[in-house]
Amino acid sequence: MGQITSGVGLISGINTADLIDQLLSIEARPIQLVRNRNAVLGSQQIAFQSINAQLLSLKLSASGFSDDNTFDTKAATSSNESVLTVSASSSAVPGSYDFNVDRLVTTQQVITDGFADQDINAVAPGGGTLTFEFGKAKLDENTELSRLNGGAGVKRGSIRVTDRSGSSATVDLSGALTVDDVLESINNASGISVTASVDGDGFKLTDTSGASVTSLAVTEVGTGTTASSLGLTTASVGDTLTGSQINYLSADTDLSLLNDGDGVRQVTGNDIRISRQDGSSFDIDLDDAVTLGDVIDAINTADAGVGVTASINADQTGIDIVDTTVGFPFPSTLSVTALNGSGAAEDLGVLGTDGDGDGTVGGTRLIATINSKLVKNLNGGSGATLGSISITNRTGAAQAIDLSSAQSVSEVLSLINDAGAGVTASLNNAGNGLLLRDTTGATASDLIVADVSGTGAADLGLAGTYSANEADSGNLQLRYVSEATRLAALNGGKGVASGKFKITDSNGDSATVDLTQGNEVTIQDVLNEINSRGLLINARVNDNGDGILIEDTGPGLLALKVEEEGANTARDLGLLGEAANAGDDLVGSFERTVTIDTDDTLQDVAQAINDAGIGVTATIINDGSVSNPFRLSLISEQEGKSGAYVFDDGGLDFGATALVEAQDAVVFFGSQDKAKAIAITSPTNSLSTVIPGATVSLTGTSSSPVKVTITRDDSAIIDAVSGFVSRFNDVTGTLDKFDSYDVETEERGLLLGDPTIARVRSSLFRVVNNRNSDLTGRYSTLSQIGIKVGSGAKLSFDETKFRAALETDFDAVQALFTFKETATDEDTGEISVTAAGIGVKIEELLDNLTDSVDGLLQSRLNSLDDLIALGDDRIEQLNLLLDNRRTKLEFDFLAMERALAQLQSQSSALANFQPLTFNNSSN
């Protein structure tokens, strides 16, 4: 049977495969034509996509002209960038501004005494605890001058100080912001022998010249009032000039400044009940009170003139409530009680009963003496019951000292130092307690401190017998967290993250505490939210006054536990974790501790501090000394005053001292004269709110003002216009390239004659050439301001003419580009543009051209897609026909081979045929 093997007929010997391929290649020519057509269409698509990309770039360039952003661009310069740099946004207010950078932000760094090695010997063979405490844990402070004189502050300027030898010096206090600034400036003044110090609620100057030629005196310089506002224009007595009181309350004193910044614990509703001597009473609601004057007004208004009056007391450090009711003898006594759990009466120093029958309640000090803290805030707010104490120095001599009049820590120190007991009193090294040091040089007796009356020595942590020369009270736990403490003030000013946390009580029940509601402002708000969850707990300020305590009021089956639910809210409140044991309270605190084991080396200590995540970075430095070169360096992770912390080595004798004190940046703004300038403090070296819309970055200090100039940035406008012109020409150049015909070479552009190209080109030139009839200003065409179509149909830009137009009428140039009027359809609410500047019209045109859904170019690309798809379909149909044709040809050739095979078979048969022969012979 005939066959075709490997494309060659066995009978015919014809290469049928090649023959079929040749026949089909002729018939496949229409497919190639369609493919070629699709390739052209694909190239046209790429061309249109290229045009679209350039139009989008032009649109981006033109978008700055559709609103005021480009024209509002500002240029900012600094006259001394080694001191400060400046950047300005479009909203910055043009002008010249003077800055005098007095100091930059510093970060607190504490350094210890040296150790012999860092990784061999234990630093505390007996073990111990290191304490780190951010916030206001120290028993002293650097009082801001703005808080003095009842909040009126101190007038900055210069004073003239004359010592008793007759020598004078002008002391420049124009840059002084704190009491320590004043002390430092006077004590460092050259040419005079005078020492300045704080004395209670004022300053004290002491002459050290030893002369008596004239009186120690302080006078004003020129017409200034600095000396008088410092209380230093008083007459001296001998070698001492005691200034008048400048630390006092006024009606304008903010309640948040009282009680060492703990404020006043108010509640919603009535806070105080005042019971008159005649037996009647009235209640006061202080919910809206912000200042001390508000409190006084609220009390006097509520009394309605019956006979009780509230006022600032004679010492100007507290409030007196006086009952002047007539009708003695009275059936009752004047008393003030708290209502609804409010702490306002206690915090205002008026809680209690008239004990001496003078019809007055109050008088408790609400502000500490200058640079000090209140005794009543020691021991977590329990205070100290001060009476008479006895100090026996190391000679064996005893001295009784009456401390009952002291209400501030500095007063306690002064009373002891002035008693002549052979000891000096000061704050301890950590600043969170008291230190008594024997100055007699004797060793005959131990140093002994004991109470005579009251419990002051014990409450101050000093009662005891000391074989050494010092008595250290340790941490007296100054209260700096109260119910009135604002959350924003916690964590060095970082505040508390808005979020939620889950509390599980000792019965196993859980509830979520939600601090995302926006009304959580104070610690009291947090306590209210926790206590409202229905768990077997009670939240309150802890006994040390440095955090929140969650008390277990349940069966004690499980340990109390606090877990985060998203943000770090519980951590920021010091509550994250669980109680040590089932049934224990969970003590939250902003006091962080690090336990030192008996075998810990200096390296171990540094690692433990860093692992604790307390906001302090510990490193070891080698000072290069022969003995004990290794020191522990402790640097706050937060710069500025808000990153200040108290470090207490717990008696391990690390000898820590502050290498760098934390301070905020200080800048004097608005005048070349510091005394007249506005003093600005910042926790960072960046000022973003001084000049609206501008950010000033501080890089150095200066003795003379640095001028910051903010102007309209014409260069930015010109760059934007130039960029637009360039991109416009890029687009038209590309259009010309694709829609071109070279007569010499007869080369046609890929999109020659395409109507879409013509529409794009004509619409672009129309919008830049036309006069804008919507405008009524000086300019209505681009050519008037230096932008016109020039030779070669290219847009040209005359920068000189454009600058002149900006100077002539900036607003008209801006309106030419950005003017826009809109109207709102009353039925649909749709907003439409009814009148527009050229910039707006250009952007609208480009939107119409480049819209990814129904833009002109997208529509053309879609039509090309359709044509390509039709071509692909045609190719598929033709390929199917060719496949059928191939099958038919293959069948025909096979049939031919079979026919040939049959013929060949028949031919062979005929060739082998033998004719029959017959024998005619007879038998």
Side-chain angles (χ1 to χ4, degrees):
M1 198 66 177
Q3 294 182 354
I4 297 175
T5 304
S6 299
V8 178
L10 293 178
I11 304 300
S12 67
I14 299 173
N15 191 334
T16 56
D18 286 346
L19 183 58
I20 291 172
D21 287 343
Q22 292 174 21
L23 292 171
L24 291 181
S25 67
I26 296 172
E27 296 185 26
R29 287 175 183 174
I31 294 178
Q32 190 58 44
L33 292 176
V34 175
R35 283 176 177 164
N36 292 342
R37 175 58 179 161
N38 273 9
V40 172
L41 294 174
S43 297
Q44 289 179 339
Q45 276 190 318
I46 294 172
F48 276 113
Q49 288 167 350
S50 173
I51 294 170
N52 194 63
Q54 288 189 324
L55 286 172
L56 287 172
S57 178
L58 179 62
K59 176 184 173 183
L60 180 63
S61 178
S63 64
F65 299 124
S66 63
D67 55 34
D68 295 324
N69 286 340
T70 295
F71 290 90
D72 287 341
T73 304
K74 303 298 189 303
T77 59
S78 166
S79 63
N80 189 345
E81 293 195 346
S82 65
V83 175
L84 62 86
T85 59
V86 60
S87 61
S89 68
S90 60
S91 62
V93 180
S96 294
Y97 307 90
D98 289 316
F99 289 83
N100 198 314
V101 183
D102 189 72
R103 64 198 82 165
L104 298 178
V105 165
T106 57
T107 302
Q108 180 171 338
Q109 180 179 11
V110 171
I111 193 164
T112 67
D113 286 344
F115 294 85
D117 61 78
Q118 59 178 326
D119 54 4
I120 299 175
N121 293 307
V123 296
T129 300
L130 304 180
T131 301
F132 298 83
E133 200 158 6
F134 289 85
K136 302 176 181 178
K138 294 184 69 174
L139 302 188
D140 65 351
E141 66 173 351
N142 187 6
T143 302
E144 295 176 359
L145 298 181
S146 60
R147 289 166 51 183
L148 301 178
N149 295 308
V154 171
K155 179 66 177 178
R156 288 181 285 109
S158 296
I159 62 175
R160 182 171 290 108
V161 180
T162 303
D163 66 18
R164 297 198 69 188
S165 72
S167 299
S168 295
T170 297
V171 181
D172 182 6
L173 298 176
S174 61
L177 298 182
T178 66
V179 166
D180 284 356
D181 290 340
V182 174
L183 299 179
E184 183 179 354
S185 296
I186 296 175
N187 292 332
N188 290 337
S190 59
I192 56 174
S193 300
V194 173
T195 299
S197 60
V198 170
D199 183 32
D201 291 312
F203 288 101
K204 181 172 72 174
L205 302 186
T206 303
D207 183 275
T208 58
S209 68
S212 56
V213 175
T214 186
S215 297
L216 174 63
V218 178
T219 56
E220 305 287 4
V221 173
T223 59
T225 58
T226 305
S228 60
S229 63
L230 287 170
L232 291 175
T233 55
T234 56
S236 61
V237 178
D239 291 336
T240 303
L241 188 157
T242 302
S244 59
Q245 180 181 0
I246 57 173
N247 181 42
Y248 54 82
L249 299 171
S250 74
D252 295 328
T253 300
D254 197 288
L255 297 182
S256 64
L257 298 177
L258 303 182
N259 302 306
D260 297 334
D262 287 342
V264 174
R265 296 168 290 171
Q266 299 151 272
V267 297
T268 301
N270 291 327
D271 292 270
I272 297 173
R273 173 167 294 162
I274 297 179
S275 300
R276 303 184 185 92
Q277 297 178 100
D278 63 4
S280 63
S281 64
F282 61 98
D283 299 339
I284 300 100
D285 181 357
L286 298 178
D287 192 45
D288 296 326
V290 176
T291 66
L292 202 56
D294 294 337
V295 172
I296 292 172
D297 290 344
I299 294 174
N300 293 335
T301 300
D303 177 71
V306 174
V308 171
T309 58
S311 62
I312 294 174
N313 63 14
D315 291 336
Q316 296 181 282
T317 58
I319 292 179
D320 279 345
I321 296 179
V322 181
D323 188 350
T324 58
T325 308
V326 238
F328 187 85
F330 298 109
S332 186
T333 57
L334 175 67
S335 65
V336 179
T337 55
L339 297 176
N340 301 315
S342 172
E346 179 183 356
D347 294 339
L348 290 168
V350 295
L351 183 66
T353 303
D354 171 18
D356 52 14
D358 64 353
T360 301
V361 171
T364 301
R365 194 172 185 114
L366 303 181
I367 52 172
T369 53
I370 294 175
N371 281 5
S372 191
K373 299 290 178 69
L374 292 169
V375 171
K376 69 178 182 180
N377 280 330
L378 300 179
N379 298 306
S382 298
T385 305
L386 299 180
S388 180
I389 67 171
S390 171
I391 297 180
T392 303
N393 63 36
R394 300 205 66 189
T395 68
Q399 176 71 50
I401 304 171
D402 185 4
L403 301 180
S404 60
S405 63
Q407 295 191 64
S408 296
V409 173
S410 66
E411 293 175 306
V412 172
L413 300 178
S414 294
L415 288 170
I416 296 175
N417 288 329
D418 294 342
V423 297
T424 59
S426 64
L427 298 185
N428 62 14
N429 190 53
N432 59 7
L434 305 184
L435 179 70
L436 298 184
R437 180 178 285 110
D438 184 278
T439 59
T440 64
T443 57
S445 171
D446 290 333
L447 177 61
I448 303 172
V449 185
D451 280 306
V452 177
S453 62
T455 57
D459 294 340
L460 294 175
L462 295 173
T465 299
Y466 306 91
S467 58
N469 291 327
E470 295 180 351
D472 191 331
S473 70
N475 190 349
L476 288 180
Q477 298 295 347
L478 178 76
R479 180 180 67 179
Y480 58 88
V481 173
S482 77
E483 291 83 350
T485 299
R486 300 180 72 83
L487 300 183
L490 300 176
N491 298 302
K494 291 182 179 179
V496 174
S498 176
K500 302 176 182 180
F501 56 90
K502 183 174 72 174
I503 300 179
T504 304
D505 66 17
S506 64
N507 195 44
D509 296 321
S510 298
T512 296
V513 175
D514 185 0
L515 299 185
T516 65
Q517 302 170 65
N519 56 357
E520 304 85 8
V521 178
T522 66
I523 289 290
Q524 184 63 62
D525 297 328
V526 176
L527 300 179
N528 292 342
E529 174 66 12
I530 294 175
N531 291 330
S532 70
R533 297 300 86 197
L535 298 176
L536 300 177
I537 57 175
N538 177 59
R540 62 177 177 85
V541 174
N542 67 29
D543 294 336
N544 287 338
D546 60 10
I548 295 175
L549 172 72
I550 300 180
E551 296 175 315
D552 180 12
T553 61
L557 301 177
L558 302 169
L560 285 177
K561 183 165 60 175
V562 176
E563 302 168 278
E564 299 283 15
E565 288 191 352
N568 292 319
T569 309
R571 184 203 65 184
D572 291 346
L573 289 168
L575 292 174
L576 185 63
E578 61 181 280
N581 301 292
D584 288 353
D585 298 334
L586 195 156
V587 183
S589 174
F590 293 103
E591 178 181 286
R592 307 287 193 256
T593 59
V594 176
T595 301
I596 305 302
D597 294 331
T598 57
D599 58 350
D600 278 349
T601 63
L602 191 62
Q603 198 170 72
D604 294 331
V605 172
Q607 188 64 49
I609 293 172
N610 292 330
D611 290 345
I614 56 179
V616 172
T617 299
T619 57
I620 299 172
I621 63 174
N622 186 334
D623 63 16
S625 59
V626 176
S627 60
N628 301 327
F630 298 100
R631 296 170 179 260
L632 186 65
S633 171
L634 305 171
I635 302 177
S636 175
E637 293 177 2
Q638 184 169 342
E639 61 183 3
K641 287 175 62 177
S642 58
Y645 63 91
V646 174
F647 172 66
D648 190 341
D649 64 15
L652 295 180
D653 198 24
F654 276 19
T657 56
L659 190 63
V660 179
E661 295 285 357
Q663 70 175 17
D664 288 343
V666 176
V667 175
F668 295 95
F669 169 72
S671 173
Q672 295 190 10
D673 183 354
K674 279 186 182 181
K676 297 178 181 178
I678 300 172
I680 297 171
T681 60
S682 171
T684 69
N685 286 325
S686 179
L687 308 177
S688 58
T689 59
V690 179
I691 305 174
T695 298
V696 177
S697 299
L698 309 179
T699 56
T701 59
S702 60
S703 58
S704 57
V706 176
K707 187 173 291 296
V708 168
T709 304
I710 296 178
T711 59
R712 186 183 73 210
D713 192 357
D714 288 352
S715 296
I717 301 172
I718 289 169
D719 288 344
V721 172
S722 178
F724 169 77
V725 170
S726 176
R727 288 175 177 81
F728 184 94
N729 289 331
D730 288 343
V731 172
T732 57
T734 299
L735 295 176
D736 291 343
K737 180 183 73 172
F738 290 131
D739 186 25
S740 63
Y741 179 75
D742 191 317
V743 178
E744 294 182 359
T745 63
E746 298 185 355
E747 185 178 350
R748 300 165 56 92
L750 190 58
L751 302 176
L752 179 64
D754 192 297
T756 302
I757 296 296
R759 288 182 61 186
V760 172
R761 180 189 289 109
S762 62
S763 59
L764 286 175
F765 280 108
R766 186 184 309 114
V767 77
V768 297
N769 278 328
N770 283 0
R771 179 179 299 276
N772 193 331
S773 58
D774 293 337
L775 302 176
T776 58
R778 181 185 297 269
Y779 306 120
S780 59
T781 66
L782 289 178
S783 62
Q784 291 174 307
I785 61 172
I787 305 171
K788 65 179 182 178
V789 178
S791 61
K794 295 295 184 182
L795 201 60
S796 65
F797 176 45
D798 186 339
E799 182 179 327
T800 302
K801 187 173 182 179
F802 187 81
R803 284 186 181 273
L806 289 176
E807 291 301 321
T808 301
D809 195 338
F810 180 86
D811 291 340
V813 175
Q814 183 173 3
L816 178 62
F817 285 97
T818 66
F819 176 74
K820 181 189 288 187
E821 283 186 354
T822 59
T824 303
D825 188 292
E826 294 182 358
D827 296 327
T828 65
E830 292 183 356
I831 300 174
S832 60
V833 177
T834 58
I838 291 175
V840 178
K841 290 183 176 181
I842 291 173
E843 185 176 35
E844 288 180 347
L845 168 63
L846 293 172
D847 279 339
N848 293 331
L849 294 177
T850 61
D851 189 278
S852 61
V853 176
D854 56 5
L856 177 63
L857 290 180
Q858 186 60 50
S859 297
R860 185 68 179 104
L861 287 169
N862 291 342
S863 68
L864 290 173
D865 276 337
D866 293 341
L867 291 174
I868 291 172
L870 288 174
D872 289 339
D873 289 343
R874 179 59 178 156
I875 290 172
E876 185 177 352
Q877 292 171 359
L878 290 173
N879 279 328
L880 182 60
L881 291 174
L882 288 176
D883 288 343
N884 292 336
R885 180 64 174 153
R886 179 182 294 277
T887 301
K888 179 67 169 54
L889 289 172
E890 288 174 348
F891 179 81
D892 289 345
F893 275 109
L894 180 60
M896 181 189 73
E897 289 295 326
R898 287 175 176 171
L900 290 174
Q902 186 175 7
L903 290 173
Q904 186 180 53
S905 176
Q906 291 175 352
S907 176
S908 297
L910 290 174
N912 294 325
F913 178 73
Q914 295 290 331
L916 296 174
T917 57
F918 298 95
N919 189 356
N920 292 326
S921 61
S922 58
N923 291 328

